[in-house]
Amino acid sequence: AASMGRLNDLFDIAPAISDSGTTRSLQHVSGTIEFNNVSFKYPETSRHVLTNVSFQIKPGQTVAIVGGTASGKSSLAQLIPRLYDVSEGTIKIDGVDIREFRLAELRNAIAFVPQEPFLFSMRLRRNIELQNLQGKPGTVASRELERALQVSQLAKTLPVLPEGIDTRLGERGINLSGGQKQRATLARAIYRDAPILILDDALSSVDSETETAILSALREYMTERTSIIVSHRVSAVREADLILVLEDGLLVEHGVDPHAAGEEELDDGQVAVAHAEVEG
């Protein structure tokens, strides 16, 4: 009874983020994303994490977000699926404020891979197929699962697992390495096949050889959707159509063609952008 009382206290809490009074359906997503003078601060703080950030991403573009620690990269990424709501300004998808969409449909249109991979205590296969919200037919699901395993390079590590893809995972995937966890969560996002893909430093724990293979496979996959990559590695953003540079919550530069950057990792707060078009 005491446990049930604590559970009921939790169930009775109203979500801080929910559908607005006028909700629109989000069925056919082209992938245009606009930030218009977006500022954001976490509810428990008074300091803005992002200040007056504005940019536009065109359908099918791959955009990289780079910057030093605590520059606001992850916070920006989390605003798109409304894990948090903006404090000021608007974020639009296909010209409509995201707060006007049904929350479930908005998030169904976005595949998000967070910095910290989260896996449930169930079989690996079930973790990857978790977001099969459309109830894909068996042949389609099997084909897309195979693509997800190949793109994420998870297929290469399955032979070392006790039962391969049907290995039962411990709490939060404790019986997998950090790199295997990241590949599993990446496979989950790819399997979802959403029109918008967000990778929040999703390859930080994989070795350089595996990262190269993943990025090579991702290039073809990302041509079909709008993609956002948050990273501090030049290798991860080298093929981006547009690079956004954040510093202390401000968008200080945006540019294209980072091929001239030769560093394997960017120094904290320092970003190399070759041939950049700069806006102060």
Side-chain angles (χ1 to χ4, degrees), residues 34-39 52-56 88-92:
E34 301 173 62
F35 274 59
N36 298 313
N37 298 315
V38 168
S39 296
N52 294 329
V53 174
S54 297
F55 61 87
Q56 182 179 32
E88 301 172 24
T90 58
I91 300 174
K92 296 181 179 181

PDB file of all heavy atoms in Angstrom, residues 34-39 52-56 88-92:
ATOM      1  N   GLU A  34      13.499  25.312 -38.657  1.00  0.00           N
ATOM      2  CA  GLU A  34      13.860  26.717 -38.473  1.00  0.00           C
ATOM      3  C   GLU A  34      13.930  27.053 -36.988  1.00  0.00           C
ATOM      4  O   GLU A  34      13.022  26.727 -36.230  1.00  0.00           O
ATOM      5  CB  GLU A  34      12.824  27.629 -39.129  1.00  0.00           C
ATOM      6  CG  GLU A  34      12.624  27.428 -40.616  1.00  0.00           C
ATOM      7  CD  GLU A  34      11.455  28.253 -41.128  1.00  0.00           C
ATOM      8  OE1 GLU A  34      11.518  29.497 -41.026  1.00  0.00           O
ATOM      9  OE2 GLU A  34      10.477  27.651 -41.602  1.00  0.00           O
ATOM     10  N   PHE A  35      15.020  27.704 -36.601  1.00  0.00           N
ATOM     11  CA  PHE A  35      15.144  28.300 -35.266  1.00  0.00           C
ATOM     12  C   PHE A  35      15.038  29.807 -35.438  1.00  0.00           C
ATOM     13  O   PHE A  35      15.828  30.402 -36.175  1.00  0.00           O
ATOM     14  CB  PHE A  35      16.492  27.946 -34.641  1.00  0.00           C
ATOM     15  CG  PHE A  35      16.520  26.631 -33.911  1.00  0.00           C
ATOM     16  CD1 PHE A  35      16.216  25.449 -34.567  1.00  0.00           C
ATOM     17  CD2 PHE A  35      16.846  26.574 -32.557  1.00  0.00           C
ATOM     18  CE1 PHE A  35      16.236  24.233 -33.897  1.00  0.00           C
ATOM     19  CE2 PHE A  35      16.874  25.368 -31.877  1.00  0.00           C
ATOM     20  CZ  PHE A  35      16.566  24.190 -32.539  1.00  0.00           C
ATOM     21  N   ASN A  36      14.078  30.420 -34.770  1.00  0.00           N
ATOM     22  CA  ASN A  36      13.874  31.861 -34.886  1.00  0.00           C
ATOM     23  C   ASN A  36      14.058  32.524 -33.523  1.00  0.00           C
ATOM     24  O   ASN A  36      13.184  32.422 -32.654  1.00  0.00           O
ATOM     25  CB  ASN A  36      12.465  32.163 -35.425  1.00  0.00           C
ATOM     26  CG  ASN A  36      12.258  31.602 -36.818  1.00  0.00           C
ATOM     27  OD1 ASN A  36      13.101  31.780 -37.696  1.00  0.00           O
ATOM     28  ND2 ASN A  36      11.156  30.913 -37.027  1.00  0.00           N
ATOM     29  N   ASN A  37      15.226  33.163 -33.327  1.00  0.00           N
ATOM     30  CA  ASN A  37      15.525  33.891 -32.079  1.00  0.00           C
ATOM     31  C   ASN A  37      15.241  33.043 -30.836  1.00  0.00           C
ATOM     32  O   ASN A  37      14.583  33.492 -29.887  1.00  0.00           O
ATOM     33  CB  ASN A  37      14.718  35.190 -32.014  1.00  0.00           C
ATOM     34  CG  ASN A  37      15.074  36.145 -33.146  1.00  0.00           C
ATOM     35  OD1 ASN A  37      16.238  36.352 -33.449  1.00  0.00           O
ATOM     36  ND2 ASN A  37      14.053  36.706 -33.781  1.00  0.00           N
ATOM     37  N   VAL A  38      15.758  31.826 -30.861  1.00  0.00           N
ATOM     38  CA  VAL A  38      15.498  30.884 -29.772  1.00  0.00           C
ATOM     39  C   VAL A  38      16.442  31.138 -28.596  1.00  0.00           C
ATOM     40  O   VAL A  38      17.666  31.191 -28.761  1.00  0.00           O
ATOM     41  CB  VAL A  38      15.648  29.429 -30.252  1.00  0.00           C
ATOM     42  CG1 VAL A  38      15.659  28.459 -29.069  1.00  0.00           C
ATOM     43  CG2 VAL A  38      14.522  29.078 -31.209  1.00  0.00           C
ATOM     44  N   SER A  39      15.856  31.314 -27.426  1.00  0.00           N
ATOM     45  CA  SER A  39      16.609  31.368 -26.176  1.00  0.00           C
ATOM     46  C   SER A  39      16.058  30.287 -25.260  1.00  0.00           C
ATOM     47  O   SER A  39      14.864  29.964 -25.301  1.00  0.00           O
ATOM     48  CB  SER A  39      16.483  32.745 -25.512  1.00  0.00           C
ATOM     49  OG  SER A  39      17.065  33.754 -26.323  1.00  0.00           O
ATOM     50  N   ASN A  52      19.177  33.810 -28.412  1.00  0.00           N
ATOM     51  CA  ASN A  52      18.872  34.372 -29.743  1.00  0.00           C
ATOM     52  C   ASN A  52      19.513  33.573 -30.881  1.00  0.00           C
ATOM     53  O   ASN A  52      20.198  34.124 -31.749  1.00  0.00           O
ATOM     54  CB  ASN A  52      19.322  35.834 -29.818  1.00  0.00           C
ATOM     55  CG  ASN A  52      18.529  36.729 -28.890  1.00  0.00           C
ATOM     56  OD1 ASN A  52      17.362  36.481 -28.624  1.00  0.00           O
ATOM     57  ND2 ASN A  52      19.182  37.769 -28.378  1.00  0.00           N
ATOM     58  N   VAL A  53      19.274  32.285 -30.889  1.00  0.00           N
ATOM     59  CA  VAL A  53      19.828  31.414 -31.928  1.00  0.00           C
ATOM     60  C   VAL A  53      18.847  31.333 -33.098  1.00  0.00           C
ATOM     61  O   VAL A  53      17.669  31.007 -32.914  1.00  0.00           O
ATOM     62  CB  VAL A  53      20.097  30.003 -31.372  1.00  0.00           C
ATOM     63  CG1 VAL A  53      20.528  29.057 -32.492  1.00  0.00           C
ATOM     64  CG2 VAL A  53      21.159  30.067 -30.286  1.00  0.00           C
ATOM     65  N   SER A  54      19.343  31.636 -34.299  1.00  0.00           N
ATOM     66  CA  SER A  54      18.501  31.583 -35.500  1.00  0.00           C
ATOM     67  C   SER A  54      19.267  30.906 -36.635  1.00  0.00           C
ATOM     68  O   SER A  54      20.432  31.234 -36.889  1.00  0.00           O
ATOM     69  CB  SER A  54      18.081  32.993 -35.943  1.00  0.00           C
ATOM     70  OG  SER A  54      17.293  33.632 -34.964  1.00  0.00           O
ATOM     71  N   PHE A  55      18.634  29.973 -37.299  1.00  0.00           N
ATOM     72  CA  PHE A  55      19.197  29.328 -38.490  1.00  0.00           C
ATOM     73  C   PHE A  55      18.097  28.516 -39.164  1.00  0.00           C
ATOM     74  O   PHE A  55      17.016  28.302 -38.596  1.00  0.00           O
ATOM     75  CB  PHE A  55      20.392  28.423 -38.148  1.00  0.00           C
ATOM     76  CG  PHE A  55      20.063  27.287 -37.224  1.00  0.00           C
ATOM     77  CD1 PHE A  55      19.594  26.065 -37.708  1.00  0.00           C
ATOM     78  CD2 PHE A  55      20.246  27.421 -35.851  1.00  0.00           C
ATOM     79  CE1 PHE A  55      19.297  25.030 -36.848  1.00  0.00           C
ATOM     80  CE2 PHE A  55      19.952  26.391 -34.978  1.00  0.00           C
ATOM     81  CZ  PHE A  55      19.480  25.180 -35.488  1.00  0.00           C
ATOM     82  N   GLN A  56      18.360  28.077 -40.383  1.00  0.00           N
ATOM     83  CA  GLN A  56      17.400  27.251 -41.113  1.00  0.00           C
ATOM     84  C   GLN A  56      18.111  26.043 -41.704  1.00  0.00           C
ATOM     85  O   GLN A  56      19.217  26.159 -42.237  1.00  0.00           O
ATOM     86  CB  GLN A  56      16.704  28.043 -42.225  1.00  0.00           C
ATOM     87  CG  GLN A  56      15.662  27.226 -42.989  1.00  0.00           C
ATOM     88  CD  GLN A  56      14.959  28.031 -44.069  1.00  0.00           C
ATOM     89  OE1 GLN A  56      15.553  28.930 -44.667  1.00  0.00           O
ATOM     90  NE2 GLN A  56      13.698  27.721 -44.339  1.00  0.00           N
ATOM     91  N   GLU A  88      12.179  31.416 -25.136  1.00  0.00           N
ATOM     92  CA  GLU A  88      11.783  32.506 -26.017  1.00  0.00           C
ATOM     93  C   GLU A  88      12.010  32.066 -27.455  1.00  0.00           C
ATOM     94  O   GLU A  88      12.831  31.196 -27.731  1.00  0.00           O
ATOM     95  CB  GLU A  88      12.601  33.780 -25.737  1.00  0.00           C
ATOM     96  CG  GLU A  88      12.481  34.320 -24.323  1.00  0.00           C
ATOM     97  CD  GLU A  88      13.459  35.457 -24.069  1.00  0.00           C
ATOM     98  OE1 GLU A  88      13.877  36.114 -25.046  1.00  0.00           O
ATOM     99  OE2 GLU A  88      13.832  35.673 -22.903  1.00  0.00           O
ATOM    100  N   GLY A  89      11.286  32.695 -28.388  1.00  0.00           N
ATOM    101  CA  GLY A  89      11.452  32.374 -29.798  1.00  0.00           C
ATOM    102  C   GLY A  89      10.621  31.168 -30.212  1.00  0.00           C
ATOM    103  O   GLY A  89       9.796  30.657 -29.443  1.00  0.00           O
ATOM    104  N   THR A  90      10.860  30.702 -31.438  1.00  0.00           N
ATOM    105  CA  THR A  90      10.095  29.572 -31.966  1.00  0.00           C
ATOM    106  C   THR A  90      11.001  28.608 -32.727  1.00  0.00           C
ATOM    107  O   THR A  90      12.012  29.011 -33.298  1.00  0.00           O
ATOM    108  CB  THR A  90       8.980  30.042 -32.931  1.00  0.00           C
ATOM    109  OG1 THR A  90       9.580  30.780 -34.015  1.00  0.00           O
ATOM    110  CG2 THR A  90       7.958  30.897 -32.220  1.00  0.00           C
ATOM    111  N   ILE A  91      10.605  27.353 -32.716  1.00  0.00           N
ATOM    112  CA  ILE A  91      11.217  26.324 -33.566  1.00  0.00           C
ATOM    113  C   ILE A  91      10.114  25.806 -34.470  1.00  0.00           C
ATOM    114  O   ILE A  91       9.029  25.448 -33.998  1.00  0.00           O
ATOM    115  CB  ILE A  91      11.802  25.167 -32.742  1.00  0.00           C
ATOM    116  CG1 ILE A  91      12.873  25.685 -31.783  1.00  0.00           C
ATOM    117  CG2 ILE A  91      12.389  24.099 -33.662  1.00  0.00           C
ATOM    118  CD1 ILE A  91      13.400  24.616 -30.833  1.00  0.00           C
ATOM    119  N   LYS A  92      10.371  25.788 -35.765  1.00  0.00           N
ATOM    120  CA  LYS A  92       9.361  25.355 -36.727  1.00  0.00           C
ATOM    121  C   LYS A  92       9.856  24.162 -37.535  1.00  0.00           C
ATOM    122  O   LYS A  92      11.035  24.075 -37.877  1.00  0.00           O
ATOM    123  CB  LYS A  92       9.004  26.501 -37.681  1.00  0.00           C
ATOM    124  CG  LYS A  92       8.356  27.694 -37.000  1.00  0.00           C
ATOM    125  CD  LYS A  92       8.003  28.777 -38.011  1.00  0.00           C
ATOM    126  CE  LYS A  92       7.328  29.970 -37.338  1.00  0.00           C
ATOM    127  NZ  LYS A  92       6.967  31.016 -38.318  1.00  0.00           N
TER     128      LYS A  92
END
